[in-house]
Amino acid sequence: MSCGTLAKGLLDLEVARARMIAAAEPVQGEERVALEQAAGRVLACDLAARLDMPGIDNSAMDGYALRVAELSEAGLPVLLRVPAGAGVAALPEGGCARIFTGAPVPAGADCVVPQERVRLDEAGRVHVAGDARLGANIRRRGEEYREGDTLLTAGWTLDAAALALLASQGIAEVKVLPRLKVALISTGDELIEPGERFAPGRVFNSNRVMLKALLEQADCDLLDLGIVADDPRALREAFTAARDAADLVVCTGGVSVGEEDHVRPVLDELGGLWFHGVAIKPGKPFAFGYLDDGSPEGVPLIGLPGNPVASLVGWHLLARPFVQGCQGRSVGPLQQYRVRAGFSRRASQGRRELLRVTLDWQHEGPVALLAGGQGSHMLHAASQAHGYLMMAADTDVEEGHEYLYLPAGQFVD
């Protein structure tokens, strides 16, 4: 994929993402939790099946269990009734069994005929329309997996389907990794919290609410240190407190190169910066480093831009995969496919641009439309977008041409 000509001193997106993923070290330790409390947690060890699944041959639907060889024009009498939960019985010769979904197939039966294909005559005998196939509609014991087979591997995130799988095996508790403890810091003298009195020159702190939601959705333990002034001493104290209390520090704002942007020099003083600046728009001022001695033995710090959309893009593409890696989760490649643009736009110089777009499906294929204003401070388009149209640096968008699209759904935990 061509990136165009990168702006001087900025990392390519793929390089920065690869560095973040490689730097992520899973949290150490494990804890045992009840299955009902395990949603979103990450397995600490492989789990094996305790039982065959299904545990017995059972019926895949409501119908009649029979021996195919015994079918005749005279029909078969119903000699047995087998509800779900019944024990396994033997099918009498020359007859069939009324059976229900999930019920054990009687010994000797080799087919279940759906009730929709059965006619009962006046004597109550079963007549089957069409052919009856050996083994039809019977779920065989162990056909899904056998006792001892691996159910889930270490690092698996326990979603609803995974929890149901474990519950079906009678598993009541699981060993999971500890939650990642993340300290969140907002920087900026201009910031006030929603609900406080607004005044000209002040800005409501949208980043804090947004990142709290993202970190909580990612199943992190959150330590919210609030707003810290644009002051080196205050930042030094906040970073020190965060370092001592958390596995990861995330801060927003103050990571650019202005006179009032103090995050970078304070990070250099308390640890070390691994990289600063990624060739993306928005999100260029993204920073990553470590508190303490500046090595991976210290506490990692992610510096996100102050502009909220830039912060969101930085989270989606760079911070989130690092958090996933620290949680012990596997990190997959970005999901992307090509869609046609329904607009034209001039290129961003030296940086790949992530345009917030919606998809219009009223055509032969999806067409990307701008979701609204594309400024890094413009949250409305971000709130409406279905995903990002990712434009290579120095490449104009031409209506009707195809470009890479990143669906937003892949960034939802």
Side-chain angles (χ1 to χ4, degrees):
M1 180 194 317
S2 173
C3 305
T5 302
L6 295 183
K8 185 177 180 180
L10 299 180
L11 279 181
D12 177 63
L13 172 61
E14 271 81 14
V15 173
R17 183 177 169 87
R19 288 191 185 183
M20 295 298 291
I21 293 170
E25 292 288 340
V27 288
Q28 298 300 305
E30 61 182 40
E31 56 191 53
R32 186 179 291 274
V33 299
L35 203 61
E36 291 83 356
Q37 305 301 320
R41 303 298 295 270
V42 178
L43 272 181
C45 57
D46 294 353
L47 287 180
R50 298 176 177 179
L51 307 167
D52 293 345
M53 187 58 66
I56 54 172
D57 291 355
N58 70 86
S59 178
M61 56 185 58
D62 294 349
Y64 294 84
L66 48 81
R67 295 181 184 90
V68 172
E70 293 181 340
L71 284 173
S72 68
E73 291 185 4
L76 290 172
V78 180
L79 303 178
L80 197 64
R81 186 177 187 276
V82 190
V88 179
L91 181 65
E93 291 186 10
C96 65
R98 179 70 166 115
I99 196 168
F100 299 90
T101 304
V105 175
D110 54 23
C111 176
V112 172
V113 179
Q115 61 187 20
E116 295 84 1
R117 292 181 50 207
V118 167
R119 177 179 62 85
L120 295 178
D121 62 21
E122 294 179 356
R125 298 172 70 88
V126 167
H127 297 265
V128 175
D131 295 331
R133 183 170 48 85
L134 287 171
N137 304 310
I138 298 176
R139 301 166 177 160
R140 295 300 183 186
R141 176 175 180 170
E143 71 176 18
E144 184 177 1
Y145 50 81
R146 290 285 186 178
E147 179 183 354
D149 287 350
T150 299
L151 290 178
L152 299 172
T153 55
W156 199 277
T157 301
L158 294 171
D159 59 10
L163 292 173
L165 173 65
L166 300 182
S168 74
Q169 286 284 296
I171 295 173
E173 293 184 332
V174 288
K175 290 181 179 179
V176 295
L177 296 179
R179 282 194 170 97
L180 187 71
K181 297 177 182 176
V182 182
L184 179 62
I185 298 171
S186 302
T187 71
D189 292 336
E190 76 280 11
L191 295 178
I192 57 176
E193 296 295 355
E196 295 183 6
R197 182 180 295 276
F198 179 77
R202 309 298 293 223
V203 175
F204 286 117
N205 188 6
S206 57
N207 276 341
R208 173 174 170 266
V209 175
M210 177 178 71
L211 288 167
K212 281 187 67 175
L214 291 168
L215 288 163
E216 288 169 356
Q217 288 168 13
D219 202 46
C220 296
D221 273 346
L222 184 62
L223 174 62
D224 185 2
L225 297 181
I227 298 172
V228 177
D230 286 322
D231 173 74
R233 180 177 177 179
L235 277 174
R236 207 174 294 118
E237 292 176 354
F239 282 175
T240 300
R243 176 200 65 194
D244 294 341
D247 303 311
L248 167 66
V249 180
V250 175
C251 68
T252 61
V255 292
S256 194
V257 291
E259 293 181 6
E260 295 301 318
D261 294 315
H262 301 295
V263 168
R264 179 173 177 174
V266 171
L267 178 57
D268 283 335
E269 178 186 341
L270 293 180
L273 193 68
W274 271 38
F275 69 84
H276 179 224
V278 181
I280 54 175
K281 178 183 179 181
K284 180 181 75 172
F286 185 95
F288 177 72
Y290 289 89
L291 298 169
D292 279 340
D293 61 358
S295 78
E297 300 301 317
V299 175
L301 182 143
I302 292 173
L304 293 169
N307 279 318
V309 181
S311 185
L312 181 64
V313 170
W315 166 265
H316 282 162
L317 299 182
L318 298 167
R320 182 174 177 268
F322 180 79
V323 166
Q324 289 176 315
C326 290
Q327 292 174 317
R329 305 188 196 191
S330 59
V331 181
L334 286 171
Q335 301 169 21
Q336 51 192 5
Y337 56 89
R338 302 188 75 82
V339 301
R340 284 186 295 132
F343 62 94
S344 297
R345 184 180 173 89
R346 295 294 300 274
S348 174
Q349 301 301 308
R351 288 188 282 163
R352 210 177 295 191
E353 188 166 13
L354 283 301
L355 299 172
R356 280 73 71 201
V357 297
T358 58
L359 292 186
D360 181 358
W361 292 89
Q362 302 181 56
H363 307 274
E364 292 182 0
V367 173
L369 303 173
L370 290 174
Q374 296 294 305
S376 60
H377 61 294
M378 295 180 173
L379 281 167
H380 185 265
S383 73
Q384 304 299 306
H386 298 155
Y388 299 114
L389 203 65
M390 185 162 66
M391 304 307 306
D394 311 312
T395 300
D396 292 342
V397 181
E398 298 183 43
E399 185 174 355
H401 289 215
E402 290 188 343
Y403 303 95
L404 285 178
Y405 171 76
L406 280 62
Q410 68 184 298
F411 305 119
V412 178
D413 288 286

